[in-house]
Amino acid sequence: MSYVEMNMFAPRIWGFDRGDTEMRVAREAGWSRADLVWERLTEAGCAAYVAGDRAGAARMLRRAGWVARLFFGAQDMRRATSLANLAVQARDAGQGARAEALQKQALNLWRRAPEMVGGIVFKPRSRSSLFHLRMEALHRDTFHDNMRKRYRAIAAESDQALRRLLVGARPERPICARWRGEKPPVFDDGRKFLAAALLIAEG
């Protein structure tokens, strides 16, 4: 989703529209409204940040931070992401001490990421054919093992992104740029974790 599309999409982020099909599908899959609202706010905030709209990014990412604090458990990786994104804003505002404190909190939470990956139950990803769905079902353990290996590798990259932010380093390509291509087509715990791992505002 482009930044322009994000701006057009912004009024629907909270998902109160009865015609919001994505929200309906997410709820039917077991997600709470807060799960999708956080993802939408953070995705929009990262897009705004990369586009140079610091004020818009701050609004979205602050709101995402409140959703995380109010609705997610203390060890939820999305809370670490929101802390990191608030640290980015603090750094840009010249609040170095606050940025460092927030970033250290984020890193402290993120240390549990590899352990959290071990508990993720992935829903089948294939959409192309009944054959691929059957193959995933027949080789479920292999599928889960491969997904966990991949997600642990992504978690390690996210850890490095958080450490770069701690020292104020700017990457050539922000990690959040990967979200659009990596975003799973299903609403499961794997998607929540991946959003936490990739929706980090760098730039």
Side-chain angles (χ1 to χ4, degrees):
M1 185 177 291
S2 71
Y3 178 58
V4 172
E5 290 171 328
M6 279 290 182
N7 279 336
M8 295 172 63
F9 177 63
R12 291 203 306 109
I13 282 175
W14 293 96
F16 293 135
D17 181 356
R18 292 191 180 202
D20 188 344
T21 303
E22 185 182 44
M23 180 64 79
R24 176 180 56 77
V25 173
R27 296 300 301 278
E28 289 172 356
W31 276 32
S32 69
R33 187 178 297 278
D35 288 328
L36 188 56
V37 166
W38 182 88
E39 180 185 289
R40 288 175 168 181
L41 285 168
T42 309
E43 183 178 4
C46 286
Y49 191 85
V50 171
D53 179 5
R54 298 298 195 254
R59 284 194 302 272
M60 295 294 184
L61 296 175
R62 275 199 304 267
R63 291 170 185 169
W66 278 109
V67 172
R69 287 183 63 186
L70 290 171
F71 296 102
F72 300 159
Q75 302 302 315
D76 194 304
M77 295 295 102
R78 292 170 294 180
R79 291 187 70 159
T81 307
S82 282
L83 285 167
N85 287 334
L86 292 173
V88 169
Q89 294 173 53
R91 182 197 65 201
D92 288 351
Q95 301 168 353
R98 182 169 186 269
E100 184 175 351
L102 288 166
Q103 202 61 38
K104 284 180 176 177
Q105 289 179 55
L107 274 168
N108 188 49
L109 274 175
W110 195 253
R111 286 191 184 95
R112 297 190 64 244
E115 175 190 341
M116 299 297 288
V117 171
I120 294 175
V121 177
F122 296 97
K123 290 183 179 179
R125 260 57 178 165
S126 295
R127 281 181 163 182
S128 56
S129 68
L130 184 59
F131 170 77
H132 287 107
L133 285 170
R134 285 175 176 164
M135 289 300 290
E136 280 188 9
L138 284 170
H139 301 282
R140 189 177 308 277
D141 289 344
T142 301
F143 167 71
H144 280 212
D145 288 345
N146 288 339
M147 290 295 286
R148 289 192 181 101
K149 182 178 180 181
R150 182 165 173 271
Y151 273 43
R152 285 193 178 97
I154 292 172
E157 293 172 25
S158 301
D159 181 82
Q160 289 305 307
L162 292 174
R163 293 182 188 283
R164 285 196 301 269
L165 289 174
L166 186 59
V167 296
R170 307 260 177 161
E172 290 185 11
R173 184 172 184 262
I175 195 169
C176 62
R178 294 177 54 184
W179 171 247
R180 188 175 184 182
E182 298 273 6
K183 187 176 182 178
V186 296
F187 295 95
D188 63 359
D189 288 343
R191 176 163 167 163
K192 294 176 187 177
F193 184 89
L194 197 62
L198 296 180
L199 289 176
I200 300 169
E202 299 178 296

